[in-house]
Amino acid sequence: MADPSTCPPLTRSSVEAAHELIKPYVHRTPVLTCSTLNLLASTPRTPAERGELGLPPLLEGEKFASPTVRLYFKCENLQKVGAFKARGAFHAVERLKMSPEWEAGAKKNGVVTHSSGNHAAALALAARTNSIPAHIIMPTISPASKIAATRGYGANIIFSGSTAPERESVCKRVQEETGATLVPPYDHPDIVLGQGTMGLELQEQAPELFPGPGGGNGRKKAHLDAIITPCSGGGMLSGVALSCSSPGSDPPTRGRHTRVFGAEPSFQGADDLCRSLRSGARIREVSSLTMADGLRTPVGDVPWYLIRERGLVAMCLVLERMKLVVEPSAAVPLAVILYNEEFRLLAQTEAGPEGGWDIGVVFSGGNCAVERMVDLFAPATAVTSTR
Amino acid sequence: MADPSTCPPLTRSSVEAAHELIKPYVHRTPVLTCSTLNLLASTPRTPAERGELGLPPLLEGEKFASPTVRLYFKCENLQKVGAFKARGAFHAVERLKMSPEWEAGAKKNGVVTHSSGNHAAALALAARTNSIPAHIIMPTISPASKIAATRGYGANIIFSGSTAPERESVCKRVQEETGATLVPPYDHPDIVLGQGTMGLELQEQAPELFPGPGGGNGRKKAHLDAIITPCSGGGMLSGVALSCSSPGSDPPTRGRHTRVFGAEPSFQGADDLCRSLRSGARIREVSSLTMADGLRTPVGDVPWYLIRERGLVAMCLVLERMKLVVEPSAAVPLAVILYNEEFRLLAQTEAGPEGGWDIGVVFSGGNCAVERMVDLFAPATAVTSTR
């Protein structure tokens, strides 16, 4: 792909331009609300729940956070290939089509990436849609369903070992042999801008569902107060932050109406969804953005104790109450909203004594095979039924 | 509820009026498309699949139907209480509020119904929203999750035996004791008109997703060719048929652009979802509507062999490919589209050699508890993985 220095600037306008490019290829996914989850999120947790979370008892005089929140779920699990990754992949290929590289070889030689997950399927679909080859390096230990999905989109799959050096060396060899253009999973402006298009839609769609002057807080808001997304590589998180930035401001996040949070399983690079739920997670607010420092400057890291059961409870709630399949990592933002006292206190404080916080919550993907769900929920149904 | 003779006429205009009344209370559910399912539905079945369905081998010269269909899924599984029933219940209560009965006792004494399913939860929610009591008669054998959901909406639950006379006698007693107004689950114009509002939305939403002149068949259609809904009581089916009728025509279905089909498990009154899938199902086209003859005159019954595995395959496909939970009965229309050769041949013939059929498919509900899904899919994952 293009040298990042020749890419469009990282601004909201560039995200808007990306949106125009990919609109014909991706779904404008719906934004849904759920009054049961609003109620649950707006109810203080209990000492028993705190105990279950492994947190120390409250100090004398300390109270559970009692935020009033309204949630607007952006359903990228209903996106093509079942994840937001379609946006970045289609944008990367559209940008490639506009570049000199296209006629100089990319059109004939196609694209290549290494991924065991949604980016693999997304790039395979974008390549097939444009009738170019896609070479995907996947670790041999990838789940069979993900391999099948990627192959289903017509990609040429090359297996590698599971460590980063192993994957990268295979990827380099395939690049040399085929002349294909590398489309990295997140660390490129074209990917970031593509993923950010989801933030534009969410900012448009959520206010249509805001309570009117009668139903809510006596005034009709124009903007979401916050957006919370899952985050691993940071491509979506930083793209969404850009989509919330004010045009022409420097840094681009100054003057934003909407604060952007990333909920990140602390087990970095976990491709095993269950394992990532078993581990902890922390939340981050994106306060500024540059490419140079790895896409984002996290400020105010808050410790976050997420136990497997809480993540599964969030996933179960979405399945039972919203009738939606989300993959485990996509349920992490909801788990934060429901069970992270630091986040809940922040929401309460920022909203003030009345009004409440309107939060956009990104369901990033829904790729969880049925047999996997059966494995996850066979024990979890015992958990939820004893709630 | 009101004597049917005093209700609005069964016309599209009355459905539109119902829509205005219930809009503040129900979700405008999204309409989704899935290119994988379009492709699968537009691919001829195979002799092996025919054998699995228990159908006799094709005759000499006979061919599998090869329709071109594009599907537009109306996601009433994402409706309040997880099913379209919210529409009829809210409409019934709104109409009650407009009637003399409201001040004469209904407001104080509330509403009553007998239902083991989605109508119970829907009426409970509509009652709570309007701060009136709801008395729901449920058979003692109702699934625990449905009882919990109905109780969760604040209803007073009275248990009864599971036969119709037992339920009705308890219902009659509760009516007499409480003075509550009976809101039947389907056999009333206010219910039919409420359910029909979903058809109005589908007819508006689907054409926005039609392929353009470049993508489809060279022209941009204005209307769906057909809508297929599940059908048990017939309230939704007849309401949707009304929503497709031409204003002022007599009978109201004359001059329709869109044909309406009901896919009906032949095990009538089955409240056990699994059992209804194990049994057969037949399809019906609604060609005329009167209240007198039980809401509809089925014409051209077509034999339909639905085996449990095909129903589960449809439900599995929706879960894995569309990331949506649908209850087993809600998957029946998709099973018809994928596996019923009579329907597929009809779609092929009606569409002619080019163009294809644009079909609205109603996902009527998503209320399937997680533990139930685990039970259903633990064996089904074996089925789908050997497809």
Side-chain angles (χ1 to χ4, degrees):
Chain A
M1 280 168 78
D3 181 327
S5 67
T6 68
C7 289
L10 289 171
T11 62
R12 182 182 158 104
S13 307
S14 299
V15 180
E16 288 166 345
H19 202 214
E20 286 306 312
L21 281 178
I22 66 170
K23 259 184 190 168
Y25 303 106
V26 300
H27 291 311
R28 183 179 174 91
T29 55
V31 169
L32 302 178
T33 60
C34 177
S35 48
T36 304
L37 291 181
N38 284 349
L39 183 65
L40 186 58
S42 302
T43 306
R45 299 283 75 85
T46 65
E49 286 174 314
R50 193 171 169 89
E52 285 170 32
L53 283 165
L55 296 171
L58 289 176
L59 299 174
E60 177 107 7
E62 201 180 354
K63 279 185 189 159
F64 284 104
S66 185
T68 299
V69 297
R70 289 175 293 269
L71 309 177
Y72 304 87
F73 296 96
K74 178 64 171 167
C75 295
E76 288 293 295
N77 55 328
L78 307 179
Q79 187 50 270
K80 297 227 170 173
V81 312
F84 73 93
K85 293 278 187 180
R87 297 176 183 267
F90 271 103
H91 186 239
V93 172
E94 285 307 299
R95 293 273 311 151
L96 198 57
K97 284 158 75 177
M98 294 161 66
S99 78
E101 293 164 274
W102 183 248
E103 290 298 340
K107 184 179 174 181
K108 179 167 157 282
N109 302 329
V111 288
V112 59
T113 198
H114 51 90
S115 161
S116 60
N118 293 327
H119 177 63
L123 187 62
L125 176 64
R128 191 185 65 182
T129 304
N130 288 284
S131 306
I132 62 172
H135 308 280
I136 314 282
I137 288 89
M138 300 184 90
T140 45
I141 57 163
S142 304
S145 63
K146 301 226 162 172
I147 296 171
T150 306
R151 187 170 279 142
Y153 292 118
N156 173 35
I157 295 173
I158 305 107
F159 290 102
S160 77
S162 52
T163 67
E166 284 172 314
R167 287 187 304 177
E168 280 159 24
S169 92
V170 174
C171 191
K172 195 148 183 257
R173 179 173 56 75
V174 172
Q175 265 185 277
E176 286 166 4
E177 286 174 9
T178 64
T181 304
L182 177 68
V183 178
Y186 51 84
D187 198 6
H188 193 281
D190 288 340
I191 298 289
V192 170
L193 294 170
Q195 320 298 32
T197 60
M198 181 245 292
L200 294 180
E201 293 176 14
L202 176 52
Q203 289 170 78
E204 258 183 47
Q205 293 168 298
E208 291 169 12
L209 302 169
F210 281 177
N217 46 21
R219 68 200 160 90
K220 179 104 176 170
K221 276 186 203 168
H223 305 283
L224 283 168
D225 294 301
I227 295 176
I228 180 165
T229 83
C231 166
S232 61
M236 172 173 56
L237 178 60
S238 47
V240 169
L242 279 177
S243 78
C244 293
S245 64
S246 300
S249 67
D250 185 26
T253 50
R254 183 176 294 159
R256 267 202 323 241
H257 301 284
T258 304
R259 298 172 75 173
V260 179
F261 295 84
E264 181 174 44
S266 67
F267 186 89
Q268 286 287 346
D271 56 2
D272 182 288
L273 303 166
C274 181
R275 196 166 42 170
S276 72
L277 272 175
R278 248 185 241 125
S279 72
R282 53 185 166 159
I283 74 165
R284 290 180 160 182
E285 181 183 359
V286 180
S287 70
S288 68
L289 281 168
T290 73
M291 287 299 292
D293 63 2
L295 297 176
R296 62 192 193 278
T297 308
V299 174
D301 271 20
V302 173
W304 161 243
Y305 308 90
L306 176 69
I307 59 170
R308 175 182 157 80
E309 283 71 22
R310 286 296 153 195
L312 279 180
V313 167
M315 197 177 158
C316 243
L317 284 168
V318 176
L319 199 67
E320 286 208 322
R321 295 296 176 157
M322 300 194 68
K323 322 302 174 190
L324 292 175
V325 178
V326 290
E327 51 194 73
S329 56
V332 170
L334 178 60
V336 167
I337 290 165
L338 293 177
Y339 301 113
N340 182 278
E341 281 294 313
E342 287 83 354
F343 183 85
R344 292 171 61 75
L345 194 61
L346 179 73
Q348 181 182 347
T349 313
E350 292 291 313
E354 42 184 69
W357 245 32
D358 290 288
I359 309 177
V361 186
V362 176
F363 284 152
S364 52
N367 288 319
C368 186
V370 167
E371 52 264 49
R372 186 62 178 264
M373 266 187 279
V374 168
D375 287 350
L376 285 169
F377 289 130
T381 53
V383 173
T384 52
S385 63
T386 58
R387 256 185 299 140
Chain B
M1 281 168 76
D3 181 326
S5 67
T6 67
C7 288
L10 289 171
T11 62
R12 183 183 157 104
S13 306
S14 299
V15 180
E16 287 166 346
H19 202 212
E20 286 306 312
L21 281 177
I22 67 170
K23 259 184 191 169
Y25 304 106
V26 301
H27 290 310
R28 184 180 173 89
T29 55
V31 169
L32 301 178
T33 60
C34 177
S35 48
T36 304
L37 290 182
N38 284 348
L39 184 65
L40 187 58
S42 302
T43 306
R45 300 282 75 85
T46 64
E49 287 174 312
R50 194 170 169 91
E52 285 170 32
L53 283 166
L55 296 172
L58 289 176
L59 299 174
E60 176 105 9
E62 202 181 354
K63 278 185 189 160
F64 284 104
S66 184
T68 300
V69 297
R70 289 175 293 269
L71 309 176
Y72 304 86
F73 297 95
K74 178 64 171 167
C75 294
E76 288 294 294
N77 55 330
L78 307 179
Q79 186 51 271
K80 297 226 169 170
V81 312
F84 72 94
K85 294 277 187 181
R87 296 176 183 268
F90 271 103
H91 186 238
V93 173
E94 285 306 299
R95 293 275 309 153
L96 198 56
K97 284 158 74 177
M98 295 161 65
S99 79
E101 294 164 273
W102 182 248
E103 291 298 341
K107 184 178 173 182
K108 178 167 156 282
N109 303 329
V111 287
V112 60
T113 198
H114 52 88
S115 162
S116 59
N118 293 326
H119 178 63
L123 188 62
L125 176 64
R128 192 184 65 181
T129 304
N130 288 284
S131 306
I132 62 173
H135 308 279
I136 314 282
I137 288 89
M138 300 184 89
T140 45
I141 57 163
S142 305
S145 62
K146 300 227 161 170
I147 297 171
T150 307
R151 187 169 279 143
Y153 292 118
N156 173 34
I157 296 172
I158 305 106
F159 290 102
S160 77
S162 53
T163 67
E166 286 172 313
R167 287 187 304 177
E168 280 159 25
S169 91
V170 175
C171 191
K172 197 148 181 255
R173 178 172 58 74
V174 172
Q175 266 186 277
E176 286 164 7
E177 287 173 9
T178 62
T181 304
L182 178 67
V183 178
Y186 50 84
D187 198 6
H188 193 281
D190 288 341
I191 298 290
V192 170
L193 294 170
Q195 320 299 31
T197 60
M198 179 245 292
L200 294 179
E201 293 176 13
L202 176 53
Q203 289 170 77
E204 257 183 48
Q205 293 167 298
E208 291 169 12
L209 302 168
F210 281 177
N217 47 21
R219 70 200 159 91
K220 178 105 175 171
K221 276 187 203 167
H223 306 282
L224 282 168
D225 295 300
I227 295 177
I228 181 165
T229 83
C231 165
S232 60
M236 172 172 57
L237 178 60
S238 47
V240 168
L242 280 177
S243 79
C244 294
S245 64
S246 300
S249 67
D250 184 28
T253 50
R254 184 176 293 157
R256 267 200 325 239
H257 301 285
T258 304
R259 297 173 75 173
V260 179
F261 295 84
E264 181 174 43
S266 66
F267 187 87
Q268 285 287 347
D271 56 2
D272 183 288
L273 304 167
C274 183
R275 198 167 40 168
S276 73
L277 272 175
R278 249 186 240 123
S279 72
R282 54 186 167 159
I283 74 167
R284 289 181 162 182
E285 181 181 359
V286 180
S287 72
S288 68
L289 281 170
T290 74
M291 286 301 291
D293 64 3
L295 296 177
R296 64 192 190 280
T297 308
V299 175
D301 272 21
V302 173
W304 161 244
Y305 309 90
L306 177 68
I307 58 169
R308 176 183 156 81
E309 283 70 22
R310 286 297 154 193
L312 281 180
V313 167
M315 197 176 158
C316 243
L317 283 168
V318 176
L319 200 67
E320 286 207 323
R321 295 297 175 155
M322 300 193 68
K323 321 302 174 192
L324 293 175
V325 178
V326 289
E327 50 195 71
S329 58
V332 170
L334 179 60
V336 168
I337 290 165
L338 292 177
Y339 301 114
N340 182 278
E341 282 294 313
E342 287 82 354
F343 183 86
R344 294 172 58 75
L345 194 60
L346 179 72
Q348 181 181 348
T349 312
E350 292 292 312
E354 44 184 67
W357 246 32
D358 290 288
I359 308 177
V361 185
V362 176
F363 285 152
S364 52
N367 289 319
C368 186
V370 166
E371 52 263 49
R372 186 63 179 262
M373 266 188 279
V374 168
D375 286 350
L376 284 170
F377 289 129
T381 53
V383 173
T384 52
S385 64
T386 57
R387 255 185 300 141

